[in-house]
Amino acid sequence: MKVTAYKTRLFKEGGNLPLFIKKHLPALKEGTIVAVSSKVAGLWESNTAALSRKEEIIKKESDFYLKTSLCYFTVKDGMAMTNAGVDESNIKGKLSLLPKRPYKTAEVLRTELKKIYGVKKLGVILTDSMILPLRAGVISAAVAYAGFKGVKDYRGKGDIFGRKLKMTMVNVADTLAACAGLLMGEGKEKKPFAVIEDAPVIFCAKQKEGEIRYPLKDDLYYPFFKPYLKKK
């Protein structure tokens, strides 16, 4: 598998994202995946807000929220993240928000890129930085994706000794997002998208939205944060 991040000029709010990618990526091979920063995708849709509304917007964007010493711990669209994806880094004088309907945005972008590059097998991932429990630093994860199956299910299959696996599933979408995010960076790299080639994925015309979401009450960490979660 090969991952390449592309340095670009600054993407402006309301700009044409598919053409922006085309300008910096003249050709795209069949069977590749394009990982794009969700911040750029949000700017494409002009989904921004005034800095003065930060706390209000975080609460509005969250399904659950809890204020901590560092930030708001939030749950949004089945994802645990900081500040519901509301961010003020790498944007001047405003807050950037996630796309309003991330999976629709990913599919629209995929459709446009397929037309531009004349390919049939193409995946798109919208990435954002998230924090894993008890781990230092951030890791990129998939806010949404399109064009491939996001989960590889091993349940009911045997391991190397023939023991049937009962719970194991591999989160393909987040794993690929993490690979791309490592090269795209979090600071002043100006690498808002990456191309993933030869990824071990199953391409499909329509993936199941929500397949990487895990039921909140069944989640491993639910007993720890349950007492503190505030529902809107």
Side-chain angles (χ1 to χ4, degrees), residues 165-178:
L165 300 170
K166 298 179 179 180
M167 300 176 62
T168 304
M169 295 185 289
V170 173
N171 188 324
V172 177
D174 282 338
T175 302
L176 293 175

Side-chain angles (χ1 to χ4, degrees), residues 112-125:
E112 291 300 311
L113 292 179
K114 284 174 64 180
K115 292 178 183 177
I116 289 173
Y117 292 105
V119 296
K120 294 181 179 179
K121 288 185 179 180
L122 177 69
V124 166
I125 306 175

Side-chain angles (χ1 to χ4, degrees), residues 34 56 59 64 84 87 93 107 118 125-126 142 154 166 178 183 192-193 208 216:
V34 180
E56 170 200 346
K59 292 178 178 179
F64 297 96
D87 194 13
E107 184 55 50
I125 306 175
L126 302 184
Y154 282 91
K166 298 179 179 180
L183 297 180
F193 73 91
K208 182 181 177 182
L216 180 63

